[in-house]
Structures are given as structure tokens and as C-alpha cells.
Amino acid sequence: MGKLSYFQLLFTHPTEFIALAQYWLFHEPKRDITNPNEFKTSGYDRETMKKCWDFLDKTSRSFAAVIKELDGDLARAICLFYLVLRGLDTIEDDMTLSDEIKQPILRTFHHKLSLEGWTFDGCGPYEKDRQLLVEFDNVIAEMGHLDPLCREVITDICHKMEIGMADFAHRAATSKTIPYLSTITEYDLYCHYVAGLVGEGLSRLFTATEKERPWLAEQLVLSNSMGLLLQKTNILRDFREDVDERRYFWPQEIWGAYGFKRPEDLCLAVEKETNEESQALSALSHMTLNALSHCVDALDYLVLLKNQSVFNFCAIPAVMAIATLD
């Protein structure tokens, strides 16, 4: 992130900016991936991996620092895991891409991970992470340097995620009405595809690199809850921005229960301080409680971790999420 990005973060997400500032001021880094002694596991001596680390800094506000401090080769594996899923998510999020273009790319994205030289420059000019896809050949090249087991995990999770993303993107593009998520069950399923699977993949990478015990990879419910806690917090935080972009993640089952016909009406009720403001705040509280329902599982997951760098990696965003919901 450049200086302008941090300046924007101060005004758009002040609590996140404060958390990052405190981390920078008081945290002493345990590892420097640019140190030649770390090249064997960080891969920083390769131009393609150096580019990947650079993309990690540019695309992640809160994860880059803690990823770099993960032990050994786990940092590099999770860096690539993050960039693969960020590339997939960028295509799904791009509202300038037609469904006809988006569907075949999404549904075959896992194949691209072994397609040497593949890049994509079709995203809209204002899509913030489009450059990652323009230079995605660097990620593909580094996937070839990964341990085969780690590569298998990343490819498998990408395959599962792309199916869910493509299904929801197709529904949004072809709906004859405004494409709201109708039920909490649908909401949970969407969050599973875009975040719960990330939790599963991370648990599998922790064990594939032998940083955690093998049975951690089997804790699918707890792994899913870790992902849902973070995703639902982001959805709460970015509600207004998403509504302005006509992206609707809050389920109608919740906001409809308080008498609203559209998500936009919640924003209007608060901004104009209408008689419906209390109902809008009740809907917000309902969504907040829904997110908090995953806290117990998330804390139970943290108890299972034995590697300190893995614990830090999982605990820091979880604590930030809980603080946001407070």
C-alpha cells in the first residue's frame, strides 16, 4: 500500500488504521524475508517471488505483515494462496465484466494455476487489483516452486471456491429482480464459499508444512467459522460501499424483518434520521449478532494451535474483527 492508500484508510476505516498503526509502532518483527539467510524459504532471491511479495503488500491491508512472519516455507505458501484467491475474487467482483465473460474464467480458474504465462487484462480500469491479474504469470511461475502438497491444497480450494463464486455471480447477473440474498442460510453458504473455504485451506497448509498437527486439517467446522467471522465483519463494515456498488450481501430475511423493502432504505433511514432509524439500527444489531455467533468456534480454533507464528497469524485478524463488532 502506498502513502495515499494509508491516508484513505484513515478516513474510510479508522479503526483498522489505528490497529495497523499500533502494530507498526509496538511490534518487533521476528523475520525479514529480504534477508539472504531467508531466501531458501522466502524465495525473495527470485524476481517472480519478489514480485509476488510486492503484490501482497499492495493488495492486503492487514494480512501482509503477519503472513511475512510465518515460519519457514509456510509464509511463501500462504502468500501465494492469498494472491490466487485475490485474483479469483477480483474477477468475481468486477462489475464491468459481463456474465458471458466472467463465467468461463471463474469456472476454470484452478486450471490457470498450471498454465504457464497466463494473464488477464480484461478487468475494468478502476478495479483496484487488476494489475495482479495483468501480471499473474508471476504467481503461476511461483506455484511451480511450491511443495506438491501445498500446490494441491491451493488448487483444490480454488476449484471449490470458483464454483460457488460463479454460481452466485450468475444468479446476480441473470436475476430479473434486484439480486438480494434471501435467507440466512444463503448468506452462510455465500460466506462459506468466499471465506470458510479459506479457513479450510489455511488449516490444510498449516499441516502440509508440518507447522501444526495433522488432525487440524480435519477441523472443518472450526476452520469455516474462522472464515465466516472475518467475512461477516467485512460485510458489516463495507455495507454502504457495497450498496452504492449494487452489491447486496445482507440477507433479506434480516433486514426485511424490520420493515425495509430495499437495503438502500436502511442507509436513508440513518442518514436522514427518519422514524425508521431505530429499525435500521435493530437490523444492524441483528447482523452483528449473526457475525458474533462464530466467535466461540473461532476461539476454540485458536486454542488448538501450537505454533506461535500461526497463532499470531490467526489471532490478530480475529481480535480485530471482534473489536470491530464491539
Side-chain angles (χ1 to χ4, degrees):
M1 292 177 67
K3 293 180 179 178
L4 178 60
S5 297
Y6 289 120
F7 187 71
Q8 291 173 334
L9 181 64
L10 173 61
F11 291 98
T12 56
H13 302 300
T15 55
E16 188 169 333
F17 179 87
I18 292 170
L20 285 174
Q22 290 173 333
Y23 185 81
W24 293 324
L25 288 171
F26 303 114
H27 176 70
E28 294 183 6
K30 302 296 189 297
R31 183 185 187 191
D32 179 8
I33 60 168
T34 67
N35 188 316
N37 293 331
E38 299 283 357
F39 285 174
K40 183 177 180 181
T41 55
S42 74
Y44 201 80
D45 54 328
R46 295 188 297 273
E47 286 301 318
T48 49
M49 192 62 217
K50 187 183 296 185
K51 192 71 177 178
C52 289
W53 287 117
D54 183 52
F55 272 123
L56 179 68
D57 288 331
K58 291 177 178 177
T59 57
S60 173
R61 288 196 295 258
S62 53
F63 284 119
V66 286
I67 288 176
K68 290 177 182 178
E69 293 197 13
L70 286 164
D71 288 347
D73 54 348
L74 178 60
R76 180 164 54 94
I78 291 184
C79 172
L80 295 174
F81 185 43
Y82 179 90
L83 294 179
V84 165
L85 301 187
R86 173 61 68 181
L88 179 65
D89 185 63
T90 298
I91 291 174
E92 187 224 7
D93 276 350
D94 192 345
M95 305 301 285
T96 69
L97 293 176
S98 68
D99 193 51
E100 290 74 16
I101 293 175
K102 188 178 291 188
Q103 286 297 315
I105 299 174
L106 286 177
R107 294 186 186 278
T108 61
F109 199 81
H110 69 290
H111 290 308
K112 308 292 191 293
L113 305 183
S114 57
L115 188 59
E116 185 177 353
W118 183 84
T119 59
F120 181 72
D121 64 356
C123 285
Y126 301 109
E127 190 64 37
K128 60 184 178 68
D129 295 326
R130 76 179 306 276
Q131 195 60 32
L132 170 62
L133 289 166
V134 171
E135 301 182 61
F136 202 73
D137 52 332
N138 292 287
V139 178
I140 295 171
E142 283 302 318
M143 284 287 290
H145 289 287
L146 278 181
D147 177 86
L149 187 55
C150 291
R151 188 163 60 243
E152 178 186 340
V153 171
I154 294 174
T155 303
D156 179 54
I157 295 297
C158 179
H159 187 197
K160 292 176 179 177
M161 186 179 291
E162 73 192 24
I163 294 171
M165 284 185 170
D167 287 346
F168 277 98
H170 181 68
R171 169 182 166 173
T174 59
S175 175
K176 295 182 180 179
T177 59
I178 296 178
Y180 306 128
L181 293 174
S182 298
T183 66
I184 295 174
T185 299
E186 284 184 336
Y187 178 51
D188 285 344
L189 180 61
Y190 175 79
C191 290
H192 166 73
Y193 278 125
V194 301
L197 286 172
V198 178
E200 177 187 332
L202 289 173
S203 294
R204 290 168 62 183
L205 287 173
F206 296 158
T207 62
T209 55
E210 300 183 346
K211 302 301 184 292
E212 291 293 342
R213 289 159 286 196
W215 47 260
L216 185 71
E218 301 170 4
Q219 304 302 313
L220 300 182
V221 173
L222 300 185
S223 299
N224 185 67
S225 286
M226 281 290 291
L228 265 61
L229 172 63
L230 301 185
Q231 180 65 21
K232 289 183 176 183
T233 301
N234 289 340
I235 287 174
L236 274 166
R237 185 194 64 192
D238 297 337
F239 174 66
R240 179 54 193 265
E241 178 183 336
D242 288 332
V243 168
D244 289 344
E245 295 289 333
R246 294 179 64 81
R247 293 192 295 259
Y248 305 102
F249 300 116
W250 287 28
Q252 188 173 16
E253 181 178 339
I254 289 181
W255 52 261
Y258 297 92
F260 295 100
K261 295 182 178 179
R262 306 178 307 156
E264 289 88 345
D265 295 337
L266 277 79
C267 300
L268 293 173
V270 174
E271 290 173 359
K272 297 186 177 182
E273 298 183 354
T274 68
N275 294 332
E276 297 177 325
E277 183 180 9
S278 62
Q279 291 97 309
L281 294 176
S282 293
L284 172 61
S285 296
H286 196 150
M287 287 292 295
T288 303
L289 287 172
N290 179 271
L292 285 170
S293 68
H294 302 289
C295 283
V296 173
D297 278 352
L299 294 174
D300 285 344
Y301 182 86
L302 293 176
V303 170
L304 301 178
L305 304 176
K306 67 179 183 66
N307 181 284
Q308 186 63 52
S309 72
V310 171
F311 179 84
N312 293 346
F313 171 76
C314 295
I316 289 172
V319 169
M320 289 175 65
I322 294 171
T324 301
L325 296 171
D326 185 11

